[in-house]
Amino acid sequence: MLQHNSVQSPEPDAPAKEGLAGRLRRGLFKRLDQRRLFRTSAFRLALIYAMVFSTLSAATLGFIYWSTRDQIELQVDARLRLETDYLINLYKSGAMPELLEAIQRRNQIDTYGRFYYLANSDMAEKSKEKSTDAVLPLKLKSVRSHTTRNMGDVADLPPGSPRAFNPVRVAETQLSDGLKLTIGHEISDEQALLDHTFTLVVGATGLTLLFSLIGGLWIGTSVLRRIDSVSRTASEIMSGDLSQRLRVTARDDEFDEISTKLNQMLNRIEDLMKSMQQVTNNVAHDLRSPLTRLRNRLEVTLLEERDPDVYRVVMDEAIGDADSLIHTFNAMLSIARLEAGIDSAQWKPTRMGDLAGELAELYEAVAEEEGQLTFRSDINSNPTFQCNRHLIGQALTNLLDNAIKYTPKGGQVRLRLEGNSEAFSITVSDNGPGIAEAERERVFERFVRLENERNSPGNGLGLSLVKAVIRLHSAKMTIGDSDPGNPTNPGLKISIHFTRKAAAEKHAKDLALSETRA
């Protein structure tokens, strides 16, 4: 006997289940997105704006509707008043046959849907009951009233007449002898116009509310889309990708302004992270050599007994290496303090011409002793500048040291100052080998030394300190060749441009930041 085992395969039902699950997830996400949309401030503000605008629109259109209705009633009442006055004048003149004839003629013509009616009032019946020969009572003043009624209430119409419920504006005048004059004017056309106006008012209000809500949904969705874009970029940055930036559109709205500021902040953070990584690499590379040299020197010295003088020499060399390391770390600390704005409280008015003159006097002698160089100074003004005098002097000292260090014998180093207290510039130039244009920005980074300078004394922090001082004072720096036409020694010219306004604003911000930290 053969047995057939039936195995139920799940494959046919899997797509259906998966499709159902996918639809459920999409529906859930859609509801969540809608809830997020309803929670956004933009949607709430748009909803409030829609309600306020719709209310004001409804009030305005309602005022127009009721003003139109009142104006129509006033016009109809004015026409009824003219007809009433004409008939009352006939009545007062005693021409009763003419009055009745006029009423009959007007009813036959039915001008403008009007009808006329003259009858005895209750007051006239009571007067007849007392006496027909009695002296007439004192004449009463004519009393008028205007009301709106249905045609069937005031006119004798055939049963089932379609005009029974047409609106009629009625003017009733109580005459002096008990007669009552009634004039009616059918206002079906006017009422149709009012009904149409009311429909337009309601429709316009509804459309205003509808489009306002649609606009609120669109604005809320747009804002939510921008926020989601910022959130995604922030998540990618938090995951370690510092190269991501917020999207900036061509609309140049407030979101683009915030995105631009945040992108600038991210650029600064990325630069700091790269600088930190580079500093770490350079510290490991540049400090390893003196530490290794120090350790090897001490280790070799301890391998065998030596004279005390030898030990003294080794110890002096070790102290020199330690001093070099301390100098390097002090320079790093100074740069960190400058970038943090910690030294902002030490600013005071400084005569920059006097400071440049002191440095020129000092380095003129140094240039002659070190390399038989020619030192020139062109100090054309003596502006007063609010700054940290010590830091400005240290930055200029670093620039002059480098100029004397890399200028060959017989060369020339120049210090120049020009300008006034509002804006001035200090320039240090030489006619040495210069710096390649591709390397000019990189040499101002910490621990960066060109390949041909690796074996020369220094730690690669001098120009980094100059850059930090320039940034602290909101100055600008330009770098170029002092002798562009010389292919062998084009020289180097570094100009620092100071402005009083920019430095004062930066100083105020740094002081406020220092007070906040304190």
Side-chain angles (χ1 to χ4, degrees):
M1 180 183 296
L2 297 176
Q3 294 182 352
H4 297 278
N5 295 327
S6 61
V7 180
Q8 294 182 354
S9 176
E11 283 74 7
D13 297 334
K17 293 181 179 179
E18 184 178 357
L20 179 60
R23 287 194 297 272
L24 291 175
R25 284 196 300 269
R26 287 193 296 270
L28 178 60
F29 290 156
K30 186 175 180 180
R31 287 194 295 271
L32 290 177
D33 289 341
Q34 290 177 351
R35 292 179 181 178
R36 287 186 61 205
L37 175 62
F38 295 150
R39 289 197 303 266
T40 58
S41 299
F43 177 78
R44 293 177 181 176
L45 291 176
L47 182 61
I48 294 174
Y49 172 78
M51 297 301 296
V52 172
F53 185 75
S54 299
T55 302
L56 292 177
S57 300
T60 303
L61 295 176
F63 174 77
I64 294 174
Y65 168 77
W66 276 290
S67 298
T68 304
R69 187 190 65 178
D70 293 340
Q71 187 65 28
I72 290 175
E73 290 181 354
L74 289 175
Q75 292 179 0
V76 173
D77 291 345
R79 290 195 291 268
L80 293 177
R81 191 178 299 110
L82 289 176
E83 290 289 331
T84 302
D85 291 342
Y86 173 75
L87 296 176
I88 288 177
N89 289 333
L90 291 177
Y91 168 75
K92 289 181 178 180
S93 64
M96 185 61 66
E98 288 80 357
L99 173 61
L100 295 177
E101 182 182 356
I103 292 174
Q104 184 177 4
R105 185 172 60 253
R106 280 170 168 75
N107 283 329
Q108 291 175 352
I109 298 175
D110 190 20
T111 307
Y112 302 112
R114 296 175 190 167
F115 62 90
Y116 301 81
Y117 183 70
L118 180 65
N120 292 327
S121 63
D122 295 339
M123 185 179 296
E125 297 296 334
K126 292 179 180 178
S127 297
K128 289 180 180 179
E129 289 178 0
K130 290 182 178 179
S131 175
T132 56
D133 298 333
V135 180
L136 291 176
L138 183 65
K139 291 187 177 181
L140 298 176
K141 185 179 180 181
S142 300
V143 180
R144 301 181 183 180
S145 64
H146 295 81
T147 58
T148 301
R149 304 178 187 176
N150 291 329
M151 178 71 79
D153 297 336
V154 295
D156 187 11
L157 298 176
S161 174
R163 300 177 62 190
F165 296 98
N166 289 352
V168 177
R169 188 67 176 171
V170 178
E172 294 181 335
T173 305
Q174 187 70 44
L175 301 178
S176 57
D177 58 354
L179 295 175
K180 182 171 69 174
L181 176 63
T182 301
I183 303 177
H185 180 88
E186 187 175 356
I187 55 174
S188 299
D189 295 338
E190 290 83 351
Q191 188 62 41
L193 176 62
L194 289 176
D195 293 341
H196 181 67
T197 304
F198 181 78
T199 303
L200 292 178
V201 168
V202 174
T205 303
L207 289 176
T208 301
L209 180 60
L210 176 62
F211 285 119
S212 299
L213 291 176
I214 294 175
L217 290 173
W218 179 78
I219 294 174
T221 304
S222 177
V223 171
L224 193 60
R225 192 183 305 116
R226 298 291 295 271
I227 292 175
D228 288 339
S229 176
V230 173
S231 179
R232 287 193 302 270
T233 305
S235 298
E236 293 176 358
I237 294 174
M238 291 172 61
S239 64
D241 187 4
L242 295 179
S243 64
Q244 293 294 326
R245 294 295 180 267
L246 300 178
R247 185 171 63 91
V248 179
T249 65
R251 288 176 290 186
D252 196 21
D253 55 12
E254 62 276 8
F255 287 100
D256 294 325
E257 183 178 355
I258 294 175
S259 298
T260 301
K261 294 297 183 182
L262 290 177
N263 287 338
Q264 293 175 356
M265 181 187 69
L266 291 172
N267 290 334
R268 178 62 177 157
I269 292 175
E270 186 178 12
D271 291 341
L272 291 176
M273 295 297 294
K274 290 181 179 179
S275 176
M276 183 180 299
Q277 183 179 3
Q278 183 179 11
V279 166
T280 303
N281 296 333
N282 291 331
V283 165
H285 185 275
D286 291 353
L287 297 186
R288 181 178 59 184
S289 297
L291 288 174
T292 303
R293 185 169 60 250
L294 176 61
R295 183 186 181 280
N296 292 338
R297 184 181 296 116
L298 294 176
E299 185 179 7
V300 170
T301 304
L302 294 175
L303 289 178
E304 59 183 13
E305 292 291 336
R306 300 180 184 275
D307 295 335
D309 294 337
V310 176
Y311 285 121
R312 184 178 296 277
V313 172
V314 173
M315 291 178 64
D316 288 340
E317 293 176 351
I319 291 174
D321 291 338
D323 289 340
S324 177
L325 293 175
I326 292 173
H327 177 72
T328 299
F329 283 110
N330 286 337
M332 293 174 59
L333 180 61
S334 298
I335 295 174
R337 290 173 62 87
L338 290 176
E339 292 179 346
I342 297 177
D343 294 328
S344 299
Q346 301 177 7
W347 288 34
K348 60 181 180 181
T350 302
R351 304 290 290 183
M352 300 303 296
D354 296 341
L355 175 61
E358 295 175 6
L359 294 175
E361 183 178 356
L362 173 63
Y363 277 91
E364 185 176 0
V366 172
E368 293 179 357
E369 294 177 0
E370 293 292 333
Q372 300 177 359
L373 304 176
T374 301
F375 188 91
R376 287 188 178 181
S377 60
D378 298 327
I379 303 175
N380 301 322
S381 60
N382 192 15
T384 301
F385 186 57
Q386 182 80 10
C387 63
N388 188 315
R389 189 179 192 275
H390 172 71
L391 293 176
I392 295 291
Q394 187 174 359
L396 295 178
T397 298
N398 290 349
L399 293 177
L400 291 171
D401 282 338
N402 284 344
I404 292 176
K405 179 179 179 181
Y406 296 106
T407 301
K409 291 183 180 182
Q412 178 179 312
V413 177
R414 187 175 182 180
L415 175 63
R416 180 181 178 87
L417 187 150
E418 56 184 352
N420 51 42
S421 297
E422 292 296 325
F424 63 94
S425 62
I426 301 176
T427 303
V428 176
S429 60
D430 61 65
N431 57 357
I435 301 176
E437 186 175 356
E439 301 287 344
R440 289 176 182 174
E441 292 295 331
R442 197 171 70 90
V443 294
F444 287 92
E445 299 175 1
R446 278 177 280 191
F447 291 104
V448 172
R449 304 181 67 188
L450 301 180
E451 292 300 328
N452 56 356
E453 302 173 6
R454 282 291 178 182
N455 297 324
S456 61
N459 51 26
L461 294 174
L463 293 181
S464 298
L465 181 63
V466 173
K467 184 177 181 180
V469 172
I470 292 174
R471 180 179 296 173
L472 179 67
H473 292 84
S474 292
K476 296 181 179 180
M477 178 173 58
T478 57
I479 307 173
D481 297 331
S482 60
D483 188 9
N486 190 338
T488 305
N489 291 319
L492 183 67
K493 181 173 68 174
I494 299 178
S495 299
I496 306 175
H497 308 278
F498 297 91
T499 56
R500 183 189 62 82
K501 182 178 179 181
E505 293 177 353
K506 181 65 166 57
H507 181 49
K509 291 180 180 179
D510 291 340
L511 286 179
L513 182 60
S514 300
E515 293 176 358
T516 303
R517 291 173 179 171

